[in-house]
Amino acid sequence: MNIKDIINKKENKLELTKEEIEYVVSNYVNGSISDEDMTLLLSAITKNDMTTEETYNLTIAMLNSGDKIDLSSIEGVKIDKHSTGGIGDKTTFVVLPLAASLGVKIAKMSGRGLGYTGGTIDKLESIPGFKTTITNEEFIKEVNDINMAIVSQTENLVPADKKIYALRDVTGNVESIPLIASSIMSKKLASGSDKIVLDVKVGKGAFMKNLEDAKRLSRIMVDIGNKHGKETIAILTNMDYPLGNTVGNSLEVIDAIKTLEGKGDKNFTNLCIILASYMVSLSKSISVEDAIDMVKTNLYNGEGLKKFKEFIKYQGGDLEGLKTSNSIEIYSNKSGYLTDIDTMKLALLVRDLGAGRVNKNDNIDHTVGVELFKHINDKVEANDLLLKVYTNKEINTLEYLNLFTISDKNIDDIKIVFDIIK
Ligand code: URA
């Protein structure tokens, strides 16, 4: 077998065999295939796509490149949740404690930020003392003790993805459905849970800009999970606008706490209720409607918040020590209805405040970000507070003001969930 022939095949839109895919993954990981050749192949995949069979084989070849986490010593059904990534996406901090407070077992491995803003691990690291690296034994004990744990992915969890993702990132091959599906699902399958809830983001602030692509990505990921014996559900959710009230690491933790206190943004709270309910439904094999009632109860009686605090304390974190930078307030210069927010531009601005990374090894500033005071379709008066920008840097306030479109008429209500794929 040789890489040139395999590249040729994909460039000519032919289907690669399981053996060819295994050959590529193992030889790229061990350094026998060069970055140049791998780039040619990844570009051919981005351009010419892969079949479901090829994508499944790629996922399994990647899965087999490293460790697989054994969660068999945790009693009961283990449920994982994964978001394809959004702006201000702190759902994990609300959804997991709600589900865990109802007895769902969640052993979650998360990553750092890849795109514009911090990842779950970055956000947790904004909490002084919080340990994102613990031993496997401690990880399992924590889930047995309090039903949930969130740790940083171990070094040897799908090393093929680490190497391939880094190359995709610098060669313009991130936005390929089979490459995204295999990247996500190889890590999910390696993490050892029994069932998986995927939150597939759709819209201006997501990888998948339209519903059709999001459905295709979801279908492939769900099929890969199910084929591997892990019941998988994809929930396609709206990512046109920032999620919740904040974007930025410590600010998102604070916003999650507010949401668990029942004082969060309405749409974000509903999104969290839906995601947690699917986890509860899968875990207990009950209807989603019944699960929604249970989740709402534990949101409004404070059990979810109690579980979040228990989890933070268990991993050494001190919520009292959360810090934010000084803030600059941005006021509206006209009245009307908020009909649009430039979500991607907002994400870039927040990244440039220091909340996200440009390069993989950049340090991030946990204390910076933004807090939104108006959401889509809210009535806005001239001089109303739109946004607080938390930073110690000088900023161009007009750039922030221009993120908001204020019109005379409001728009149709926005959907939170577009589709469910099983
Ligand atoms: N998240 C991942 O883990 N991989 C991708 O390729 C895209 C999003």
Side-chain angles (χ1 to χ4, degrees), residues 223-254:
D223 287 349
I224 290 171
N226 288 338
K227 185 165 171 171
H228 205 70
K230 294 181 190 285
E231 188 177 351
T232 303
I233 293 184
I235 306 172
L236 283 72
T237 67
N238 192 328
M239 193 51 252
D240 277 333
Y241 310 109
L243 296 169
N245 291 324
T246 61
V247 186
N249 298 283
S250 63
L251 285 160
E252 291 191 37
V253 176
I254 295 167

Side-chain angles (χ1 to χ4, degrees), residues 82-85 114 153 161 165 168 174 176 179-184 187 207:
H82 183 84
S83 157
T84 57
L114 294 167
Q153 273 157 19
D161 180 59
Y165 194 95
R168 284 168 60 203
V174 169
S176 146
L179 296 179
I180 295 174
S182 53
S183 165
I184 292 175
K187 286 176 290 195
F207 279 122

Side-chain angles (χ1 to χ4, degrees), residues 69-116:
I69 310 296
D70 179 3
L71 299 178
S72 58
S73 50
I74 300 171
E75 247 182 68
V77 187
K78 277 77 69 184
I79 313 279
D80 203 353
K81 176 202 89 91
H82 183 84
S83 157
T84 57
I87 313 299
D89 191 350
K90 75 284 282 172
T91 50
T92 290
F93 304 140
V94 180
V95 171
L96 267 58
L98 282 172
S101 74
L102 289 161
V104 180
K105 305 274 184 183
I106 312 149
K108 184 161 171 59
M109 296 208 153
S110 287
R112 285 173 203 287
L114 294 167
Y116 295 121

Side-chain angles (χ1 to χ4, degrees), residues 19-33 61 65 160:
E19 291 70 30
E20 285 166 337
I21 290 170
E22 282 168 358
Y23 170 87
V24 168
V25 172
S26 57
N27 285 292
Y28 183 58
V29 173
N30 73 22
S32 310
I33 291 177
S65 70

Side-chain angles (χ1 to χ4, degrees), residues 285-297:
S285 299
I286 59 171
S287 73
V288 178
E289 291 69 31
D290 287 347
I292 287 177
D293 288 341
M294 294 165 77
V295 167
K296 280 187 176 164
T297 301

